[in-house]
Amino acid sequence: MANSDTLLPQSLFHSNNAKLTAILTLLDASSNGLIVLDTKRRFLSLNQAACNIFNASAETLLGQDMLTLVMGKEHEIASYLVMPSGHWSCLVVCPGEEEREIECTHTTEIVDGQPCIMILVRDVTETQRLLQKTEVLTQFAATMTYATSLEGTLDALSRSVVKTTGLMACLIPLISGNPLQFRVVGSYGLPDGYAASLGQLVQMGTHPPTLQAFRERRTIVARGIRERNLADPSYAPVHEQLQHVAWDTVVCIPLIYRGASLGVFTAYYPPDMEPTKGELVFLSTIADQAAIAVKNAQLLLEAQDKAALVERQRLARELHDSVSQALYGIVLGVQSARTFIETDKEHAIKSIDYVLSLAKACHTEMRALIFALRPESLETEGLVAAITKHAAAVCERYEVPVEVSLCEEPNIPLAIKEILYRITQEALHNIVKHAHARHVCLLLQQKSDGVVLEIQDDGVGFDPTSNFHGHLGLHSMRERVNQGQGKLEIHSTLGGGTCIRVYLPTPIQQV
């Protein structure tokens, strides 16, 4: 280093200056680093903790411009360092291309009559990684609450884990049945066709680490797996994809829910990255959460199947009580008209008129039932139009006035609209069948945090504290509201009518 560029005595480029040595000695026992720069930002001295943070010896760093280690904020850090004091953070690249995040507090001091910059350095790399992992879990919890599909949830989880931990890829398959079925419900970073080929391996009877973790219900860490699989003829279905990947270590963690193995969370590590104990704990936590998401999706599917069965049974009762009876009346009317067409025309005409009235009623019933079964307008025209049409059908069919007060089309997912529509349908069905109401009010409002549906009638009412005994429709409403993470309130008194109020929160939009 040329002496003409040196603002401080040459002795200050070593740690033998008395003042600097005293300061560095005091801080050598600390995990925080202390570095001393000249006014050109060159290292004059640093303690052992600073050497550890920068992963370099003092001899390597002395005389070097600190900004050569900084990533992306060189001009910003340079502007900080000309100030008398300050607090800032940045990324630095240490020998071996390792990136670390540091927080720094600096002050300007006079040593031997010359200004120098003293910087207290703290390595926050692991802290930031921990915060990122916590954020992954937080986002995943929110996604689980409002997810529209299991695949969407676990794809997002896989992407977040890869970007947070530095993994190369993630794969989450569900495994079940005999013969084994291999269904991918989440992945990120895998080459095209790899997941399908891995499933083919399982069906062929090959025993990859993924299947071992599933069957043995324990974490499997497989090292050197790429070269080993390329040399194994039984892995031929994945040889083409393995030619284009660099991962070398695979961690497979079973998805366990109440003792049952549902699938496997698989993490793919690059050759220069070894899974640490902390990483395995984090990935195990992720696998546990993924298992809960899978089980919740299975339970939801079962509930939907049950709800579909209940709906089919209700429609069957409706068909039997209305359309089937009307068709039977039409048959009797036609037979009567045929009998008297020649001998008693007046009676025959009355029979035909009766048949026409039954046919019109049957047509109305069928339109209502078909709309109840497949409300196409819910998707094409929106929730407001669907509720309006259904309310009009109830008025026409049962001659019960329904007063509607609806907001503009709410900006909510179709699944939430379906819940609100079905609850409206069920509530109006209960009113016309049981309440003997003379008037119904239906209100729909969109709030800043959700949607409110309110249905009120002036019917006979009931005791809402009876745990819905005999009111299967109310059970169905509560299940639907729970599905939407909402709240159901029922207020009713005998002879005083009923008010049903539903609140469904607006789902968090995933980016």
Side-chain angles (χ1 to χ4, degrees):
M1 177 170 48
N3 289 335
S4 60
D5 292 335
T6 305
L7 296 181
L8 296 180
Q10 183 68 24
S11 62
L12 286 184
F13 286 96
H14 306 281
S15 56
N16 59 359
N17 177 274
K19 185 174 181 179
L20 293 181
T21 301
I23 295 173
L24 296 173
T25 300
L26 286 174
L27 290 174
D28 260 345
S30 170
S31 60
N32 293 328
L34 179 67
I35 61 179
V36 183
L37 308 179
D38 65 13
T39 54
K40 290 190 175 182
R41 305 177 302 269
R42 294 173 297 193
F43 286 96
L44 296 178
S45 197
L46 63 164
N47 69 348
Q48 185 58 48
C51 293
N52 295 339
I53 290 173
F54 288 99
N55 195 29
S57 65
E59 290 74 14
T60 303
L61 295 174
L62 290 176
Q64 182 176 345
D65 185 348
M66 180 182 173
L67 294 189
T68 61
L69 304 177
V70 174
M71 289 182 59
K73 297 173 65 175
E74 295 90 340
H75 297 296
E76 187 176 345
I77 301 303
S79 66
Y80 289 150
L81 291 176
V82 298
M83 299 178 182
S85 63
H87 181 80
W88 39 275
S89 62
C90 65
L91 285 175
V92 294
V93 181
C94 303
E97 301 300 319
E98 180 184 1
E99 295 179 10
R100 292 187 180 177
E101 186 166 354
I102 59 174
E103 286 185 352
C104 301
T105 301
H106 81 269
T107 184
T108 301
E109 299 286 346
I110 301 298
V111 179
D112 288 348
Q114 298 291 338
C116 65
I117 304 168
M118 303 187 70
I119 306 176
L120 189 66
V121 183
R122 189 163 68 95
D123 187 351
V124 295
T125 306
E126 290 304 319
T127 301
Q128 291 301 317
R129 286 176 181 171
L130 180 60
L131 289 175
Q132 290 174 342
K133 292 175 182 178
T134 302
E135 181 65 20
V136 169
L137 290 171
T138 302
Q139 290 180 354
F140 182 45
T143 306
M144 283 177 62
T145 302
Y146 297 108
T148 56
S149 72
L150 178 63
E151 287 79 2
T153 299
L154 297 184
D155 277 344
L157 173 66
S158 299
R159 181 175 62 252
S160 297
V161 171
V162 168
K163 292 187 175 296
T164 300
T165 61
L167 296 173
M168 297 194 69
C170 275
L171 174 68
I172 309 176
L174 300 184
I175 304 174
S176 63
N178 187 17
L180 289 175
Q181 299 297 313
F182 189 91
R183 174 192 166 201
V184 176
V185 290
S187 66
Y188 184 78
L190 294 170
D192 292 341
Y194 179 79
S197 298
L198 191 60
Q200 184 181 350
L201 285 179
V202 171
Q203 293 178 343
M204 290 168 53
T206 307
H207 198 73
T210 303
L211 189 56
Q212 182 183 359
F214 172 79
R215 286 178 168 165
E216 298 180 10
R217 301 182 187 181
R218 65 183 181 90
T219 298
I220 300 295
V221 179
R223 297 175 175 84
I225 192 169
R226 178 179 176 274
E227 294 301 326
R228 187 163 65 249
N229 289 348
L230 282 172
D232 188 341
S234 66
Y235 279 80
V238 296
H239 280 177
E240 182 178 354
Q241 290 89 355
L242 288 177
Q243 296 286 351
H244 307 288
V245 301
W247 65 64
D248 191 55
T249 298
V250 177
V251 174
C252 304
I253 305 174
L255 308 184
I256 305 293
Y257 185 86
R258 293 187 177 180
S261 187
L262 306 177
V264 179
F265 182 89
T266 310
Y268 297 83
Y269 280 77
D272 59 347
M273 186 176 177
E274 179 71 12
T276 65
K277 187 175 182 180
E279 291 284 348
L280 293 178
V281 170
F282 171 67
L283 295 179
S284 295
T285 303
I286 291 293
D288 290 341
Q289 295 300 309
I292 293 173
V294 169
K295 192 61 181 180
N296 284 346
Q298 292 176 345
L299 292 174
L300 177 59
L301 183 60
E302 291 174 7
Q304 290 173 337
D305 289 342
K306 180 181 177 182
L309 177 60
V310 171
E311 187 70 9
R312 286 196 296 270
Q313 291 173 339
R314 186 184 72 81
L315 288 171
R317 290 194 302 270
E318 289 283 340
L319 287 169
H320 177 268
D321 295 342
S322 56
V323 178
S324 178
Q325 297 296 327
L327 290 174
Y328 181 64
I330 289 173
V331 171
L332 293 179
V334 171
Q335 288 178 341
S336 176
R338 183 177 182 182
T339 300
F340 294 102
I341 191 71
E342 297 294 340
T343 59
D344 191 345
K345 291 186 178 181
E346 183 178 351
H347 187 84
I349 291 173
K350 289 182 179 180
S351 296
I352 291 173
D353 289 340
Y354 173 68
V355 167
L356 286 174
S357 66
L358 287 178
K360 290 180 180 179
C362 185
H363 181 249
T364 300
E365 293 281 349
M366 284 300 299
R367 284 181 60 191
L369 288 172
I370 290 172
F371 184 75
L373 184 62
R374 293 187 61 195
E376 288 90 347
S377 62
L378 184 62
E379 184 171 2
T380 58
E381 300 178 19
L383 176 64
V384 172
I387 289 179
T388 301
K389 286 184 178 181
H390 188 67
V394 169
C395 289
E396 179 184 355
R397 186 179 181 188
Y398 298 105
E399 298 182 352
V400 177
V402 180
E403 178 184 345
V404 295
S405 177
L406 309 177
C407 62
E408 295 184 359
E409 184 64 23
N411 182 24
I412 54 178
L414 182 61
I416 302 298
K417 293 182 180 182
E418 172 81 11
I419 291 173
L420 291 168
Y421 175 77
R422 293 302 182 189
I423 289 174
T424 301
Q425 181 185 39
E426 192 66 58
L428 293 178
H429 174 78
N430 286 347
I431 289 170
V432 298
K433 289 296 184 181
H434 306 295
H436 306 294
R438 298 181 301 276
H439 188 264
V440 180
C441 291
L442 197 156
L443 173 70
L444 181 69
Q445 294 178 309
Q446 181 159 30
K447 306 290 187 180
S448 60
D449 60 345
V451 182
V452 174
L453 172 68
E454 197 170 283
I455 304 169
Q456 187 169 0
D457 69 73
D458 60 357
V460 298
F462 67 98
D463 180 7
T465 65
S466 62
N467 198 26
F468 305 148
H469 178 68
H471 296 276
L472 295 179
L474 297 179
H475 278 296
S476 174
M477 287 184 204
R478 187 169 294 283
E479 289 178 356
R480 292 185 190 278
V481 171
N482 289 340
Q483 179 185 341
Q485 304 293 321
K487 182 179 180 182
L488 173 66
E489 296 177 2
I490 301 175
H491 304 282
S492 183
T493 57
L494 294 175
T498 300
C499 179
I500 295 175
R501 188 176 189 275
V502 175
Y503 165 77
L504 292 176
T506 302
I508 298 174
Q509 298 298 317
Q510 300 298 319
V511 180

